[in-house]
């Protein structure tokens, strides 16, 4: 059977299924990856999170992460790695008005329970409509969620509050 070629689009779950020894390498690369040891998160979030998104979550350069993982399993490193999105708004945008925040969803409990918050969050944004804003509280940069919102052309603002607390504001 042919082994998985590691790219920015490789899902964490698939990577660890093909190369279980890379779990320690990922965790050593960035402390937020220690959550991969949680079997529930491993079965949910890891299935939809790409290495490109994981690099964003871990505050790493995608190219460096991919080449480190490739090196560990004997694959050739590359200087020409195409990076996904990563166009996250981190400066307070003009459209943000605190009084327009109509609802807050704390996805930390959902993630710890192994639930995938993407559909619930996007549904909540759609229900708000108008100039209303949804605030999402997350323990790390929710890259898959932001990427999905970007694909739907929703506005967002990512505000880092602490090492394990991020607020993301979404508006239709």
């Amino acid at each position: 059977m042919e082994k998985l070629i590691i790219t920015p689009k490789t899902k964490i779950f698939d990577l660890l299924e093909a190369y279980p020894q890379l779990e320690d390498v990922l965790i050593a690369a960035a402390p937020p990856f220690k959550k991969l040891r949680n079997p529930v998160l491993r079965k949910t979030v890891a299935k939809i999170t790409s290495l490109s998104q994981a690099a964003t979550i871990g505050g790493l350069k995608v190219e460096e992460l991919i080449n480190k993982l490739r090196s560990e399993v004997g694959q050739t490193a590359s200087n020409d790695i195409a990076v996904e999105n990563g166009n996250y708004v981190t400066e307070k945008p003009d459209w943000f008005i605190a009084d327009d925040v109509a609802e807050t969803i704390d996805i930390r409990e959902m993630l710890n329970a192994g639930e995938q918050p993407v559909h619930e969050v996007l549904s909540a944004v759609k229900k708000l409509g108008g100039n209303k804003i949804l605030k999402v509280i997350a323990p790390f940069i929710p890259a898959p969620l932001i990427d999905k919102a970007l694909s739907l052309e929703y506005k967002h603002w990512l505000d880092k509050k602490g090492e394990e607390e991020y607020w993301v504001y979404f508006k239709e």
Side-chain angles (χ1 to χ4, degrees), residues 10-17 26 36 46-47 49-51 54:
T10 301
K11 302 295 184 200
I12 300 273
F13 182 85
D14 297 335
L15 176 80
L16 296 178
E17 285 289 301
L26 279 172
L36 289 172
K47 283 191 176 183
T49 304
S50 69
L51 286 173

Side-chain angles (χ1 to χ4, degrees), residues 12-13 16-17 23 27 33-47 110-115:
I12 300 273
F13 182 85
L16 296 178
E17 285 289 301
E23 179 179 321
I27 292 169
F33 296 158
K34 69 181 179 278
K35 292 174 176 42
L36 289 172
R37 295 203 195 278
N38 176 333
V40 177
L41 287 178
R42 178 89 154 252
K43 289 180 183 171
T44 55
V45 175
K47 283 191 176 183
M110 295 169 72
L111 292 170
N112 287 336
E115 298 169 15

Side-chain angles (χ1 to χ4, degrees), residues 2-106:
E2 203 172 308
K3 279 290 190 176
L4 177 74
I5 302 298
I6 301 170
T7 72
K9 292 184 178 185
T10 301
K11 302 295 184 200
I12 300 273
F13 182 85
D14 297 335
L15 176 80
L16 296 178
E17 285 289 301
Y19 305 105
Q21 71 274 25
L22 291 180
E23 179 179 321
D24 291 334
V25 175
L26 279 172
I27 292 169
F33 296 158
K34 69 181 179 278
K35 292 174 176 42
L36 289 172
R37 295 203 195 278
N38 176 333
V40 177
L41 287 178
R42 178 89 154 252
K43 289 180 183 171
T44 55
V45 175
K47 283 191 176 183
I48 66 161
T49 304
S50 69
L51 286 173
S52 179
Q53 294 166 332
T56 299
I57 292 166
L60 305 170
K61 290 185 176 176
V62 178
E63 302 86 351
E64 290 174 10
L65 178 61
I66 299 301
N67 284 331
K68 180 163 186 53
L69 295 170
R70 285 180 176 179
S71 169
E72 290 288 329
V73 297
Q75 292 181 12
T76 308
S78 173
N79 294 326
D80 188 29
I81 294 175
V83 179
E84 285 178 28
N85 266 320
N87 300 324
Y88 301 150
V89 176
T90 57
E91 298 291 321
K92 183 178 173 182
D94 292 339
W95 56 261
F96 180 80
I97 299 169
D99 289 342
D100 287 345
V101 176
E103 185 179 347
T104 299
I105 298 176
D106 187 336

Side-chain angles (χ1 to χ4, degrees), residues 125-139:
V125 173
K126 190 138 187 84
K127 286 178 190 170
L128 290 176
N131 288 323
K132 296 301 178 189
I133 297 170
L134 174 69
K135 173 181 167 183
V136 173
I137 301 170

